[in-house]
């Protein structure tokens, strides 16, 4: 099976500080790590490779120093690495990021599965994985806690971790799966892997290489504007209606009418 | 810290060993110390990280036969846990005889899984009545056609029961005295080869220390290491080569204790200020740090000398083992002093470090035996000059 894993280099949030005036992360001087969920995605890919054979290609969109994050995944056992890097990508929001990554993935050609992390610990939107799936027009299965592949029948079986229940779904190759942290314990690098990483070549793709439409790239291609960042209050408990079925339906319709929904 | 001008590869080995030890052994060390559970979990992680074959040539599945790299990893692991450190290192002790004296066939058969870390090795020399006086061993291997029949009991063998591959020294011809001993490779599972109970020890408690019991254990002559009669040469050459590793264990344990002492001294407030501001504490820390660095320098220099191909390293290897282990004992006890009553409690790791440190003065030749050996070498050297 050929698997592509999308990883993002993020600031080590255990070390990060917030600028009290702008409420944004102070990134300067903060060490970078691989987004932890993406390490789960890499681990999941390596487990599938060990079981079914094939190749794991790790891809990131970021500045040249993001190559370090890619190399760390080679040290874990990934086969190839691709850095999608161009000044034109600067200021990308999730729309532009997922567009750019999907173009790069098209360029790379054959793949059975794309793995992403559930979300990035800095941006936290959890939109890039689903965005890639949309741009490529393929299925997406988010919040995977278990993942099995069936290469003979070209499909995956995924257990999704939802708020109260787990859901098991199947999806055909190729598709996008995003990983939660409970999925596995990412392996540590190995010495031979590190030696391989030291020598391995990073394939670099520019905006031109991926034949991207400039109007979808970077700041100009990013429709989002951040007005304010805040933690939303937790969802309230809701109200449970009891009684006979007919009675409940009556109460429910009343409540809906009260709120002028109908 | 002294800059040892490590190469990129050496830094990689050191940092990876540190990372794996901290992630896999640190959270468990107190529990393993308490229960004596064998640290397979940590060993599996070292295996996955390719750290088990640092002293083994690449063609045998290792990372390139470097005593120095092996010492770096052993130090980092022992810095976290002396028990895991010796378990890691004893596999090198058990397999070095094969590396040094094995035939190509023996090497190809036994070394790759040891290099990968999927199998452990152990070294069986000591017996109840033969410790420092190894020549007094009573285990016999009697020739019987193409086979040898081994009878006797080895005592306190590290990795006993857990290892798959054992190097065992037995007498093949008592009449020849020390020239009548032979080294054998014995596989776990060979009929007539069983294990005694696991010893309950003061320190390095998660390491396995067991008897090897041989009752009419039949091994083929192809299992002889080197030649018949070379048993003690095999043992002595092996111990010369692995002694810097004991030094590295000791340096690691001492550094671990120093780390804890410095951290604690900065946090502990008495008389309204951190005890680290007291000169008495600073001087103690200064002495600890200086001797740890001196021990490390001696171990590293010896390991480098060996890797560079020098043949005669018996003296520095003994000096490195002696000085580093005496340092570990002193520094760990002083670390307890810096932590005061807290240091005496099991909630803090330094009392364990002191218990772990003690063994480094005893095994692979007690420090008295090291001094004997160093003294003799000095006199011999001086006599040769005249
Ligand atoms: C308006 C706006 C402006 C921004 N401007 C900038 C800017 O100028 N500079 C800047 O650095 N950031 C900027 N960002 C942040 C950046 O665009 C987002 O972090 C990025 O789009 C990814 O979104 P996320 O972090 O929420 O990832 P999520 O959607 O939470 O990530 C989910 C998964 O997608 C994958 N993934 C995410 N990003 C990448 C990537 N780059 N490469 C490969 N895989 C990836 C990973 O597998 C990850 O686990 C901006 C964001 C917004 C909303
Ligand atoms: C935890 C543990 C693990 C071990 N692992 C192994 C192993 O894997 N393989 C193996 O073969 N052995 C192993 N040993 C055995 C170890 O190497 C011996 O314990 C050691 O060599 C000392 O022998 P002994 O204990 O019989 O002490 P003894 O030889 O009885 O010595 C007792 C005391 O007398 C001193 N002494 C003895 N002779 C002299 C002398 N000539 N001059 C001055 N002082 C002297 C000693 O220094 C010591 O202080 C292990 C031991 C322990 C405790």
């Amino acid at each position: 099976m050929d698997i592509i894993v999308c990883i993002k280099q993020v600031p080590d949030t255990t070390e990060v500080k917030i600028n009290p005036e702008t409420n944004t992360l102070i990134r300067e001087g903060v060490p970078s790590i691989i987004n932890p969920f993406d390490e789960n995605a890499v681990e999941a890919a390596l487990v599938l490779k060990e079981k079914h054979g094939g190749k794991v290609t790790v891809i990131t969109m970021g500045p040249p120093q993001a190559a370090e994050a890619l190399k760390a995944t080679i040290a874990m056992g990934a086969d190839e690495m691709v850095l999608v890097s161009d000044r034109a990508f600067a200021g990308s929001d999730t729309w532009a990021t997922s567009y750019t990554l999907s173009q790069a993935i098209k360029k790379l050609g054959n793949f059975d599965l794309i793995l992403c992390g559930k979300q990035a610990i800095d941006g936290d939107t959890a939109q890039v994985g689903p965005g890639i799936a949309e741009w490529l027009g393929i299925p997406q299965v988010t919040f995977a806690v278990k993942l099995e592949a069936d290469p003979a029948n070209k499909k995956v079986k995924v257990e999704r971790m939802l708020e109260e229940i787990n859901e098991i779904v199947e999806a055909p190759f190729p598709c996008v799966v995003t990983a939660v942290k409970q999925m596995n314990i990412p392996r540590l690098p190995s010495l031979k892997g590190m030696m391989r990483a030291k020598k391995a070549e990073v394939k670099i793709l520019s905006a031109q290489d991926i034949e991207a439409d400039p109007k979808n790239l970077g700041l100009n291609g990013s429709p989002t504007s951040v007005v304010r960042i805040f933690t939303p209050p937790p969802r309230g408990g809701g109200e449970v209606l009891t009684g006979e079925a007919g009675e409940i339906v009556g109460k429910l319709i009343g409540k809906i009418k009260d709120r002028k929904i109908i | 810290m002294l800059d040892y001008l490590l190469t990129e590869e050496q830094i990689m080995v050191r940092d990876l060993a540190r990372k794996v030890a901290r992630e896999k052994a640190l959270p468990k060390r107190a529990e393993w110390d308490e229960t004596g559970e064998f640290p397979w979990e940590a060993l599996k992680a070292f295996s996955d990280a390719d750290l088990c074959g640092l002293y083994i040539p690449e063609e045998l599945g290792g990372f390139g036969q470097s005593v120095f790299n092996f010492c770096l990893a052993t130090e980092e692991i022992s810095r976290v846990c002396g028990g895991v450190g010796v378990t890691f290192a004893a596999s090198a002790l058990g397999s070095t005889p094969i590396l040094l004296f094995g035939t190509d066939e023996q090497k190809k058969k036994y070394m790759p899984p040891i290099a990968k870390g999927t199998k452990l090795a152990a070294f069986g020399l000591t017996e109840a009545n033969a410790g420092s006086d190894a020549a007094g061993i009573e285990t016999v291997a009697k020739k019987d056609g193409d086979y040898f029949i081994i009878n006797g009991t080895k005592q306190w063998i590290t990795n006993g029961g857990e290892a798959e591959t054992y190097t065992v020294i037995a007498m093949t011809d008592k009449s020849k005295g020390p020239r009548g001993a032979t080294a054998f490779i014995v596989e776990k599972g060979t009929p007539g080869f069983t294990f005694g109970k696991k010893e309950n020890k003061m320190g390095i408690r998660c390491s396995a220390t067991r008897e090897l019991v041989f009752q009419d254990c039949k091994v083929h002559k192809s299992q002889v290491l080197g030649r018949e009669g070379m048993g003690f040469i095999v043992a002595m050459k092996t111990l010369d080569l692995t002694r810097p590793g004991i030094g590295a264990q000791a340096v690691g344990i001492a550094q671990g204790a120093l780390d804890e002492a410095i951290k604690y001294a900065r946090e502990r407030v008495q008389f309204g200020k951190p005890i680290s501001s007291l000169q008495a504490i600073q001087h103690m820390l200064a002495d600890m740090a200086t001797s740890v660095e001196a021990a490390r320098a001696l171990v590293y220099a010896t390991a480098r000398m060996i890797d560079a191909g020098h043949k005669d390293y018996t003296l520095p290897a003994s000096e490195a083992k002696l000085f580093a282990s005496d340092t570990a004992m002193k520094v760990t006890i002083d670390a307890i002093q810096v932590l005061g009553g807290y240091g005496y409690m099991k909630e803090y790791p330094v009392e364990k470090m002191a218990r772990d440190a003690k063994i480094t003065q005893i095994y692979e030749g007690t420090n008295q035996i090291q001094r004997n050996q160093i003294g003799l070498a000095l006199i011999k050297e001086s006599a040769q000059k005249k």
Side-chain angles (χ1 to χ4, degrees), chain B residues 90 93 122-128 130-133 154-159 201 203-204 207 209 359 362-369 372:
Chain B
L93 171 65
F123 178 75
L125 173 63
T126 304
E127 297 177 7
S132 300
D133 184 10
K154 294 291 169 184
Q155 176 175 269
W156 301 339
I157 305 310
T158 303
N159 287 350
K201 305 187 291 290
I204 56 165
S207 79
T209 313
I359 191 61
I362 298 174
Y363 58 23
E364 295 206 23
T366 67
N367 282 7
Q368 286 71 32
I369 297 298
N372 290 351

Side-chain angles (χ1 to χ4, degrees), chain A residues 120-141:
Chain A
I121 57 166
D122 56 346
D124 263 339
T125 69
Q127 289 174 2
V128 171
I132 293 170
E134 288 306 303
W135 283 110
L136 294 173
I138 60 176
Q140 51 170 292
V141 187

Side-chain angles (χ1 to χ4, degrees), chain B residues 67-348:
Chain B
V67 172
F68 192 81
N69 279 343
F70 171 73
C71 284
L72 285 175
T74 302
E75 177 187 336
E76 287 300 333
I77 296 167
S78 305
R79 186 172 174 179
V80 169
C81 178
V84 177
V86 61
T87 303
F88 173 82
S91 203
L93 171 65
S95 58
T96 293
I98 304 177
L99 269 186
L100 288 178
F101 294 93
T103 61
D104 277 352
E105 251 161 80
Q106 288 170 332
K107 286 184 197 167
K108 276 190 197 126
K109 177 166 180 200
Y110 291 106
M111 293 311 295
I114 294 170
K116 184 63 208 135
T118 47
K119 287 184 179 174
L120 294 179
F123 178 75
L125 173 63
T126 304
E127 297 177 7
N129 296 322
S132 300
D133 184 10
I137 58 170
E138 291 159 2
T139 297
V140 291
K142 209 173 133 217
K143 206 162 190 171
D144 178 16
D146 281 347
Y147 289 85
F148 286 87
I149 313 290
I150 306 180
N151 276 290
T153 300
K154 294 291 169 184
Q155 176 175 269
W156 301 339
I157 305 310
T158 303
N159 287 350
E162 309 292 344
E164 298 289 332
T165 309
Y166 295 79
T167 321
V168 176
I169 315 292
M171 298 306 294
T172 38
D173 188 348
K174 276 199 170 162
S175 69
K176 288 192 182 149
R179 291 214 169 78
T182 301
F184 296 89
I185 306 171
V186 187
E187 293 175 24
K188 182 177 175 176
T190 308
F193 174 27
T194 55
F195 304 99
K197 70 166 196 326
K198 196 169 163 174
E199 302 290 346
N200 189 3
K201 305 187 291 290
M202 169 184 180
I204 56 165
R205 288 176 48 79
C206 69
S207 79
T209 313
R210 276 209 181 83
E211 279 177 351
L212 312 182
V213 182
F214 299 94
Q215 290 164 304
D216 292 331
C217 173
K218 198 168 151 184
V219 298
H220 192 259
K221 64 177 185 196
S222 64
Q223 299 298 94
V224 168
L225 264 177
R227 285 191 318 276
E228 233 179 284
M230 276 179 69
F232 285 122
I233 296 176
V234 171
M236 295 311 136
K237 291 278 175 212
T238 294
L239 292 170
D240 277 353
L241 193 55
T242 56
R243 237 164 235 143
I246 304 291
Q249 279 175 42
V251 170
I253 294 170
Q255 182 67 53
L258 176 61
D259 296 340
E260 293 294 333
I262 294 171
K263 189 172 94 189
Y264 184 86
R266 295 184 56 208
E267 286 165 3
R268 176 65 170 173
V269 174
Q270 289 293 278
F271 302 101
K273 54 190 183 188
I275 60 168
S276 60
S277 64
L278 303 170
Q279 197 181 49
I281 297 290
Q282 286 175 8
H283 281 188
M284 204 142 66
L285 294 175
D287 285 342
M288 291 159 76
T290 306
S291 42
V292 173
E293 202 66 89
R296 179 181 290 118
L298 192 48
V299 169
Y300 284 11
T302 306
R304 281 183 162 147
M305 177 178 163
I306 296 172
D307 286 344
H310 278 266
K311 290 283 169 275
D312 191 9
Y313 47 79
T314 305
L315 181 69
S318 282
E319 288 172 342
K321 190 267 182 188
L322 168 67
F323 186 74
S325 58
D326 281 355
T327 296
M329 201 61 247
K330 176 147 187 4
V331 166
T332 51
I333 291 289
D334 286 348
I336 297 178
Q337 195 66 20
V338 170
L339 270 75
Y342 291 97
Y344 200 72
M345 299 297 152
K346 294 217 173 192
E347 277 75 25
Y348 286 82

Side-chain angles (χ1 to χ4, degrees), chain A:
Chain A
M1 302 180 59
D2 289 331
I3 306 171
I4 292 176
V5 187
C6 300
I7 69 159
K8 184 183 182 190
Q9 196 180 39
V10 295
D12 189 348
T13 45
T14 54
E15 313 250 347
V16 96
K17 296 192 176 58
I18 308 276
N19 178 337
E21 267 152 40
T22 59
N23 273 323
T24 52
L25 303 180
I26 304 173
R27 287 169 192 262
E28 289 75 41
V30 178
S32 293
I33 56 169
I34 299 178
N35 180 40
F37 296 100
D38 302 353
E39 288 192 327
N40 295 107
V42 172
E43 174 66 28
L46 294 174
V47 169
L48 288 178
K49 180 182 108 168
E50 279 159 6
K51 192 155 175 200
H52 303 292
K55 192 174 78 179
V56 174
T57 304
V58 181
I59 171 170
T60 191
M61 180 190 98
Q65 57 267 32
E68 283 313 307
L70 290 173
K71 288 193 170 185
T73 68
I74 299 286
M76 288 170 76
D79 300 290
E80 281 173 26
M81 47 187 168
V82 179
L83 174 64
V84 192
S85 193
D86 199 308
R87 286 191 172 278
F89 303 149
S92 298
D93 68 358
T94 60
W95 166 277
T97 301
S98 52
Y99 171 75
T100 307
L101 287 168
S102 67
Q103 283 298 113
I105 289 168
K106 277 186 200 162
K107 206 74 208 163
L108 293 176
N110 280 345
F111 57 91
D112 301 310
L113 180 64
I114 299 171
L115 279 161
C116 289
K118 177 187 83 160
Q119 70 194 65
I121 57 166
D122 56 346
D124 263 339
T125 69
Q127 289 174 2
V128 171
I132 293 170
E134 288 306 303
W135 283 110
L136 294 173
I138 60 176
Q140 51 170 292
V141 187
T142 49
F143 312 134
V145 67
K146 268 193 205 147
L147 169 62
E148 286 166 30
D150 179 356
N153 294 305
K154 295 204 166 296
K155 62 182 185 187
V156 289
K157 189 166 137 190
V158 185
E159 185 173 325
R160 304 181 63 214
M161 201 169 90
L162 305 180
E163 269 172 37
E164 304 207 330
I165 53 154
N166 282 12
E167 179 185 69
I168 296 174
V169 295
E170 285 188 350
F173 286 177
C175 58
V176 174
V177 173
T178 76
V180 299
K181 116 170 142 276
Q182 293 82 350
M183 190 180 198
N184 51 41
I185 300 171
R187 66 195 61 191
L188 293 168
S190 74
L191 211 47
K192 285 175 189 163
M194 285 164 90
M195 295 300 282
R196 196 156 13 90
K198 210 173 76 172
K199 292 183 206 127
E201 206 184 317
V202 189
K203 180 169 178 176
I204 298 174
L205 294 179
S206 67
Q208 216 177 1
D209 294 333
I210 62 172
E211 294 171 37
D213 181 346
K215 73 174 192 299
N216 282 336
L217 293 181
L219 200 54
N220 291 336
S222 294
T224 322
S225 73
V226 180
V227 180
R228 186 162 72 94
I229 296 176
F230 63 97
T231 312
R235 222 185 279 174
E239 188 183 343
V240 179
L241 304 175
T242 51
E244 292 295 316
E247 196 185 332
I248 298 176
V249 171
K251 280 190 206 166
L252 185 61
I253 292 173
K255 284 191 180 287
I256 293 173
K257 280 187 176 157
D258 286 351
R259 295 192 188 182
K260 307 215 163 21
I261 296 169
I262 50 174

